[in-house]
Amino acid sequence: FSCSNNTAEYEALIHGLHWARKRGIKNLQVFGDSELIINQVRGQHATKNDLLKSYKNRVWDLIEDFEAFNIVSIPRKKNETADRLAAVGATFDVVDSIRREKTQPHIHVVVRPAVPDNNTSWQVFENDQQIVNFLQEEAEFSARNQDRLEQQYGDQVVQLRTNKLPKGLVTLESIFNPNDQFRKEKANIQVKREDSEPIPVGEGKTLQIGKVATEQEKSDFIQLCQEFPD
C-alpha cells in the first residue's frame, strides 16, 4: 500500500514493536533518524495530522506491554543500515510464489496499514464501550439520534435490527485471499435459463430475473434498469 515517509516510519516502528513483543522482550530501546516521529512518540511534539495521531496512539498502546521503553533520535549516517534495508523493502516486488512459500520466514509481506487508512469507509471506535453502544443502539447511537444521522447521511444509515440482507450475497473469503488481496481467479457463475424468466425493461431490452424473486424485487430491478439503461 502507498504511504508517506512519516507513515512508513510509523509502520516500521509498529512492526518492530510487534516483533519484540512476540519474542517476550521486556526492556526495549529504539533508535531512529526521524526526529518528527520520535518527538511525537515522546510527547514533545504535537500531532495535528489525524492519520499520524492514529499511528502515535497505536504505538502508545503497544509500548504499554514493555517494562522499560525508550526511543532515541540518532544521526542518519549512523542509521544507514536500516535506511538501506527500508529502501530495498520498498522497491521489492513480492511475487505470488514467495507469498505462498512457507520456507521463507524472514520475508514479511505487509499488505494493509497498521491503522485504518480510510476513515470515510471505516467506523472507528474510541473504546470497547462505544462498540457495545453501537451494537445495542444506545448512547450516541440511540434511536433518538437516528433522525440526526439520517439528515446527515441519508439512505446510507443502516438499521441494524431491521435491516434485511439481500439474496445472493457473496462471502468475502471467495473474493479476497488471507492477505486481503483480490483473488485472481475469475468467478464462474452460471445461471440456468429455467431458473429465470425474461422481463421487458424498455427499449427492446429484456432482463433475466430469477423466478424466486418477489414482485417487489422484480419491480426494483426493472426500475433500476430503466434508470440506467446503459
Side-chain angles (χ1 to χ4, degrees), residues 81-93:
T81 301
D83 281 338
R84 285 198 299 269
L85 180 60
V88 171
T91 58
F92 184 60
D93 185 17

Side-chain angles (χ1 to χ4, degrees), residues 38 137 186 216-217 222:
I38 292 173
E137 297 182 357
K186 294 183 179 180
Q216 181 62 47
E217 289 173 333
I222 294 173

Side-chain angles (χ1 to χ4, degrees), residues 68-201:
F69 175 85
N70 190 23
I71 185 168
V72 180
S73 176
I74 60 176
R76 180 158 298 180
K77 64 181 181 180
K78 292 187 178 181
N79 204 31
E80 291 179 348
T81 301
D83 281 338
R84 285 198 299 269
L85 180 60
V88 171
T91 58
F92 184 60
D93 185 17
V94 182
V95 296
D96 289 339
S97 60
I98 295 182
R99 293 182 192 275
R100 297 190 299 266
E101 183 56 67
K102 296 181 179 180
T103 61
Q104 302 273 358
H106 57 286
I107 296 179
H108 183 198
V109 182
V110 181
V111 296
R112 64 189 307 174
V115 300
D117 61 333
N118 186 355
N119 289 345
T120 61
S121 299
W122 292 69
Q123 174 64 58
V124 181
F125 299 100
E126 297 294 334
N127 49 53
D128 291 344
Q129 184 58 49
Q130 199 174 49
I131 298 177
V132 174
N133 293 342
F134 176 75
L135 295 176
Q136 298 180 350
E137 297 182 357
E138 297 177 349
E140 64 266 47
F141 304 103
S142 64
R144 66 173 178 268
N145 289 324
Q146 200 65 30
D147 292 338
R148 177 184 59 81
L149 292 174
E150 289 180 353
Q151 290 177 359
Q152 183 175 358
Y153 297 105
D155 296 336
Q156 299 178 43
V157 177
V158 176
Q159 305 288 343
L160 292 178
R161 294 177 179 172
T162 60
N163 182 52
K164 295 182 179 179
L165 295 177
K167 299 176 182 177
L169 288 182
V170 179
T171 61
L172 291 177
E173 289 80 5
S174 65
I175 303 175
F176 300 98
N177 64 23
N179 290 327
D180 285 348
Q181 295 174 314
F182 282 110
R183 295 186 182 276
K184 293 184 177 180
E185 300 83 20
K186 294 183 179 180
N188 185 18
I189 301 176
Q190 296 180 349
V191 179
K192 297 180 179 179
R193 285 288 176 176
E194 58 268 22
D195 293 337
S196 62
E197 58 182 332
I199 302 294
V201 294

Side-chain angles (χ1 to χ4, degrees), residues 2-13 33-34 36-37 52 55 76 86 90:
S2 60
C3 58
S4 66
N5 288 336
N6 290 330
T7 55
E9 294 280 354
Y10 267 120
E11 287 285 345
L13 175 57
D33 56 47
S34 175
L36 174 66
I37 304 304
L52 294 185
Y55 272 107
R76 180 158 298 180

Side-chain angles (χ1 to χ4, degrees), residues 19-83:
W19 184 91
R21 288 177 61 193
K22 289 180 180 179
R23 283 150 184 81
I25 295 174
K26 294 298 181 182
N27 303 311
L28 184 66
Q29 188 170 24
V30 177
F31 300 95
D33 56 47
S34 175
E35 293 188 8
L36 174 66
I37 304 304
I38 292 173
N39 287 331
Q40 286 180 353
V41 173
R42 295 176 66 93
Q44 296 175 348
H45 280 182
T47 310
K48 298 181 180 180
N49 181 277
D50 290 338
L51 181 58
L52 294 185
K53 189 180 297 183
S54 298
Y55 272 107
K56 181 193 68 176
N57 292 337
R58 182 69 180 129
V59 171
W60 283 0
D61 290 339
L62 290 172
I63 63 179
E64 289 182 355
D65 292 337
F66 297 97
E67 296 178 359
F69 175 85
N70 190 23
I71 185 168
V72 180
S73 176
I74 60 176
R76 180 158 298 180
K77 64 181 181 180
K78 292 187 178 181
N79 204 31
E80 291 179 348
T81 301
D83 281 338

